Amino acid sequence: MISVRGLRKRYAAVDAVAGIDLEVRRGEIFAFLGPNGAGKTTTVEILEGFRTRTEGDVRVLGADPAHAGSEWRNRVGCVLQESSAEPGLTVRECLQLYAGYYARPRDIDDTVALVGLEAKADSLAEQLSGGQRRRLDVALALIGDPELVFLDEPTTGFDPSARRAAWEVIDGLRALGKTVFLTTHYMDEAENLSDRIAVISNGTIVAEGTPQTLGGRERMAARISFALPDGVEPPVPAKHVNGRVVIDSEQPLQDMKAIADWAIARGLDLADLDVRRPSLEDVYLQLTGGAA
Ligand code: ATP
């Protein structure tokens, strides 16, 4: 669906995108992550045909977005990072207006329901809250029934339950056979939704993989932690962090067995025992040079 080779975008002295390769397959949800200013929006807008590139080969649905026509645009839906309401139009009227631009639009009421805006269908778009406005943006991106949907930070400003509802909508796009290119700053969003992730930092792709394997996550040490009474030392090498024993373990099963045998022999119940793999956020922060 998307194939990018050697993409570069230079603004005056800055290489905002410094020669990246990307491949997105039909039917997958692809998450594009990176810190502020990393080059995400620049890349997405080049893929959408809204920005020119300095160098590189870009194919989206088999065409070069810089020269693609209206037939191509009908097959692509976009939720941009910023949007503005249509003055004087209700939610339903906005969707009717946009539906008119497409050859085979989706049903208006179905689309309103898909993003959970039924209660606001007859309210003016300019009077929606920030999160409701974002849902309308998603609805407008879907109204043309596109094959490929770009979602640039689609849930920024959503309350937790609206985010969960939006995830269901995005996950539902997978069931409809759509391909989704998602940028987000929420690691839980990427983890819950995406089939594959690419991380961009300073204009360069620094890692690519599934949420489980990104940056070698599946091979990283597990962290075992628990509290012990004063003066008791654990049976394996450990650090003490905020009053807890912390063991970064390459072999968690063996270490857990040693700890369990030792604790049982001493009658310690280790009630607050916790074993966890590094989170996607831990991996992301390592990859992008943030503090972990
Ligand atoms: P965010 O997470 O904050 O949305 P981003 O990854 O989307 O960030 P971009 O908007 O692609 O980042 O910006 C990448 C770099 O290019 C930044 O350093 C930015 O200042 C610069 N940049 C973006 N647009 C322009 C422009 N029109 N002219 C000059 N520089 C720009």
Side-chain angles (χ1 to χ4, degrees):
M1 300 296 275
I2 298 177
S3 172
V4 170
R5 291 274 166 275
L7 175 63
R8 187 176 298 277
K9 176 69 180 182
R10 187 168 300 130
Y11 298 112
V14 199
D15 264 351
V17 178
I20 64 167
D21 297 342
L22 286 175
E23 225 40 77
V24 179
R25 302 173 200 132
R26 180 177 296 276
E28 71 180 350
I29 298 183
F30 185 87
F32 197 42
L33 309 181
N36 291 137
K40 299 179 301 297
T41 298
T42 301
T43 303
V44 171
E45 292 193 359
I46 291 169
L47 299 178
E48 291 167 337
F50 295 138
R51 261 190 230 208
T52 58
R53 59 187 185 265
T54 308
E55 252 176 49
D57 187 47
V58 178
R59 298 277 137 190
V60 176
L61 300 175
D64 181 342
H67 306 291
S70 61
E71 178 130 345
W72 178 86
R73 184 139 304 285
N74 277 339
R75 298 167 62 202
V76 177
C78 305
V79 176
L80 304 179
Q81 215 174 71
E82 303 217 336
S83 69
S84 54
E86 305 286 345
L89 295 187
T90 66
V91 165
R92 182 176 277 114
E93 287 163 349
C94 283
L95 284 162
Q96 279 162 348
L97 176 72
Y98 278 60
Y101 300 143
Y102 295 95
R104 283 174 301 281
R106 290 177 52 90
D107 181 77
I108 306 273
D109 288 331
D110 270 5
T111 310
V112 168
L114 188 66
V115 298
L117 273 182
E118 295 97 321
K120 292 285 172 183
D122 297 310
S123 303
L124 287 175
E126 64 216 68
Q127 291 173 354
L128 296 177
S129 74
Q132 292 163 347
R133 171 70 218 176
R134 213 76 192 116
R135 293 185 194 207
L136 174 57
D137 291 337
V138 174
L140 292 172
L142 298 178
I143 194 69
D145 201 21
E147 288 165 55
L148 171 63
V149 187
F150 288 99
L151 301 173
D152 199 0
E153 299 185 21
T155 63
T156 298
F158 280 27
D159 67 48
S161 81
R163 288 183 64 222
R164 291 287 164 147
W167 291 357
E168 280 181 26
V169 171
I170 297 167
D171 204 39
L173 297 179
R174 191 203 313 268
L176 295 173
K178 312 292 183 199
T179 306
V180 177
F181 192 102
L182 168 78
T183 73
T184 181
H185 287 296
Y186 300 116
M187 294 303 129
D188 53 349
E189 186 159 299
E191 177 132 41
N192 271 282
L193 287 176
S194 65
D195 299 298
R196 283 194 308 129
I197 296 174
V199 179
I200 185 169
S201 182
N202 289 321
T204 304
I205 305 284
V206 292
E208 240 187 292
T210 66
Q212 291 72 37
T213 63
L214 190 80
R217 181 181 177 194
E218 79 286 12
R219 297 187 303 275
M220 287 181 176
R223 176 161 284 199
I224 302 168
S225 69
F226 47 88
L228 281 180
D230 283 347
V232 180
E233 280 303 314
V236 292
K239 301 182 281 196
H240 293 269
V241 180
N242 297 332
R244 288 173 69 77
V245 174
V246 172
I247 298 153
D248 286 326
S249 172
E250 304 282 347
Q251 40 175 15
L253 198 60
Q254 285 92 324
D255 285 343
M256 277 305 306
K257 182 168 187 324
I259 291 163
D261 289 347
W262 168 85
I264 289 164
R266 278 161 188 74
L268 298 165
D269 70 355
L270 307 185
D272 59 351
L273 174 68
D274 182 66
V275 185
R276 71 177 192 106
R277 288 277 172 193
S279 67
L280 186 59
E281 185 157 295
D282 295 333
V283 175
Y284 169 84
L285 288 169
Q286 272 186 30
L287 287 167
T288 56

